[in-house]
Amino acid sequence: MRAFFAGLLSLILVGVAVSGVLLLEYWRFLQTPIELVAEPTPESEPGVELAQYPDQRIVEIAPGTRLRELATRLADDGLISDPYFFIALAYQERVQNKIKAGEYALVNGMRPLELITMFASGRSIQYPVTLIEGRRFRDAVDSLANHEVLKLELAGMSDAEVMQRVGIEDEHPEGWLFPDTYLVTRESTDIALLKRAHARMKQVLSEEWDQRADGLPIETPYEALILASIIEKETGLAEERPDIAGVFVRRLKRGMRLQTDPTVIYGMGDDYDGNIRREDLRRATPYNTYVIDGLPPTPIALPGREAIHAALNPAEGDALYFVARGDGSHHFSATLREHNCAVRKYQLGGRCDMIKATVEERP
């Protein structure tokens, strides 16, 4: 019996010792930072170490990856010392079933707890995708086809099909995507991105509509979107947008036609070759604001928030005309006489000293 108890005591002591060693090794595992090591560069010569140690390494976790598979891969890549300790850590933190697929950037000095926390949080690498202000809906959709990260699901679809997939409920898709830079993860879909852009446009339009000025000749948020798209196409200078909006709003109030070239170009479609001819200004299209009264039936581009804000909060003044100076800015005129003079000077290369005189004559 004494021999039995002695043997049992020996087993217990061995168990305690083993447990102590395991706990010590586990503690060391938790405290050991990862060290990212790169292979020597091709320019290395024998005996000369030119290897560069990277600042980060990308680890991709595919959908459906099991915790044991991930731990084994990390150990095989030399990022952690023991896969079983990594699994134990996941159970300790209660995230064994919360590892999320994605791309993760590992940096030198990270410890296992930081790794497991990052993998469970889903804070994967994000890539920028930009929808540019002033582009048309179809141009914006087509631009996504060249993005290296997005998963493409809209290729070959018509505008109507894209509208249905994205959830655009209007009869025409133009203008209904908010131009901005969006952050996406690898394998995000183009549909998901456009849904975000559409939801964002509805949100921004609603916010700006609630803060609109009084007395506008605009009855609905959609009309504001149409006017904003014209403003977006008329000028690339942010400081001019309220002045451009002021001209259009005053013309609408007076029943004057907008007479803006970007709407003519939009109505020409594929027939536009970079030039607007006299016959183009006379051609009857729903978008030719030299022919139609009021606004065109739909937006003509993707307007940004500044253009929407300007449409709903135009600058005060008396200008009813504007003409491009050739440097990106515009000359604004209150009278047709002054406007014709400005056209002669800035677009036809002639002289017109009347501009200064007529400006000084204004009350």
Side-chain angles (χ1 to χ4, degrees):
M1 183 64 69
R2 181 178 297 176
F4 171 77
F5 282 111
L8 180 60
L9 179 59
S10 297
L11 289 174
I12 293 173
L13 292 175
V14 170
V16 170
V18 171
S19 298
V21 171
L22 286 175
L23 286 174
L24 179 61
E25 289 300 317
Y26 183 59
W27 181 85
R28 287 176 177 170
F29 167 80
L30 294 178
Q31 300 303 313
T32 301
I34 63 174
E35 183 178 353
L36 304 181
V37 181
E39 294 295 328
T41 60
E43 294 80 8
S44 299
E45 299 177 1
V48 179
E49 180 61 55
L50 295 179
Q52 298 295 318
Y53 290 84
D55 294 327
Q56 67 177 19
R57 180 182 295 184
I58 308 303
V59 170
E60 183 174 354
I61 301 178
T65 300
R66 297 176 179 272
L67 175 61
R68 182 183 296 272
E69 178 185 350
L70 173 62
T72 300
R73 179 151 60 94
L74 293 175
D76 290 343
D77 290 344
L79 298 172
I80 59 174
S81 59
D82 191 299
Y84 298 104
F85 283 161
F86 190 80
I87 295 171
L89 176 60
Y91 277 89
Q92 175 185 315
E93 297 298 315
R94 299 181 180 180
V95 296
Q96 67 273 15
N97 297 318
K98 297 181 179 179
I99 305 300
K100 296 178 175 61
E103 285 183 305
Y104 299 90
L106 278 57
V107 297
N108 266 323
M110 295 183 74
R111 289 177 168 78
L113 180 58
E114 294 176 271
L115 295 183
I116 201 71
T117 301
M118 181 172 61
F119 296 152
S121 71
R123 295 195 304 271
S124 58
I125 298 172
Q126 295 185 312
Y127 299 86
V129 181
T130 301
L131 300 181
I132 300 175
E133 296 173 345
R135 282 196 174 180
R136 299 181 182 186
F137 174 84
R138 175 45 61 177
D139 295 333
V141 173
D142 291 344
S143 70
L144 302 182
N146 299 320
H147 201 276
E148 60 182 9
V149 169
L150 283 175
K151 182 179 180 181
L152 304 180
E153 297 182 351
L154 296 175
M157 290 189 185
S158 66
D159 285 357
E161 291 171 323
V162 174
M163 288 174 63
Q164 183 179 12
R165 295 296 299 274
V166 175
I168 299 175
E169 298 176 354
D170 201 76
E171 295 181 1
H172 197 283
E174 198 65 77
W176 275 121
L177 302 176
F178 187 73
D180 201 354
T181 296
Y182 298 86
L183 296 178
V184 301
T185 57
R186 186 175 293 277
E187 294 301 305
S188 295
T189 67
D190 49 6
I191 294 176
L193 173 67
L194 294 185
K195 284 182 176 180
R196 289 171 60 189
H198 179 49
R200 180 67 175 145
M201 178 57 83
K202 291 195 294 184
Q203 177 188 357
V204 170
L205 186 59
S206 176
E207 291 172 353
E208 294 296 339
W209 180 257
D210 289 342
Q211 301 175 33
R212 67 189 183 279
D214 296 329
L216 295 175
I218 299 171
E219 297 182 357
T220 66
Y222 189 62
E223 289 185 354
L225 190 65
I226 295 173
L227 180 56
S229 72
I230 301 173
I231 295 167
E232 189 69 69
K233 293 297 290 184
E234 275 289 6
T235 181
L237 297 180
E239 62 270 20
E240 279 195 347
R241 291 188 180 113
D243 296 313
I244 297 285
V247 170
F248 288 143
V249 165
R250 283 186 286 276
R251 293 180 74 91
L252 288 172
K253 285 183 175 181
R254 296 187 182 203
M256 299 173 66
R257 289 175 176 167
L258 295 184
Q259 297 182 322
T260 171
D261 290 352
T263 62
V264 177
I265 294 171
Y266 189 86
M268 292 173 65
D270 294 337
D271 291 338
Y272 179 65
D273 60 4
N275 295 303
I276 300 178
R277 300 167 180 84
R278 192 180 299 272
E279 56 267 27
D280 297 324
L281 298 179
R282 297 195 187 105
R283 184 190 305 179
T285 77
Y287 293 90
N288 186 351
T289 52
Y290 285 85
V291 175
I292 66 169
D293 297 325
L295 295 167
T298 75
I300 62 171
L302 309 183
R305 182 186 279 272
E306 289 182 342
I308 297 173
H309 184 81
L312 294 169
N313 298 273
E316 296 182 359
D318 56 1
L320 292 171
Y321 309 88
F322 57 84
V323 63
R325 287 193 175 103
D327 60 359
S329 66
H330 292 80
H331 177 87
F332 294 84
S333 303
T335 67
L336 182 58
R337 182 185 181 193
E338 180 186 342
H339 175 64
N340 289 336
C341 180
V343 170
R344 188 157 63 250
K345 177 176 181 178
Y346 293 114
Q347 301 231 322
L348 302 179
R351 269 190 76 180
C352 190
D353 298 329
M354 188 189 305
I355 291 180
K356 183 177 180 181
T358 51
V359 170
E360 292 174 347
E361 290 169 1
R362 292 188 201 168

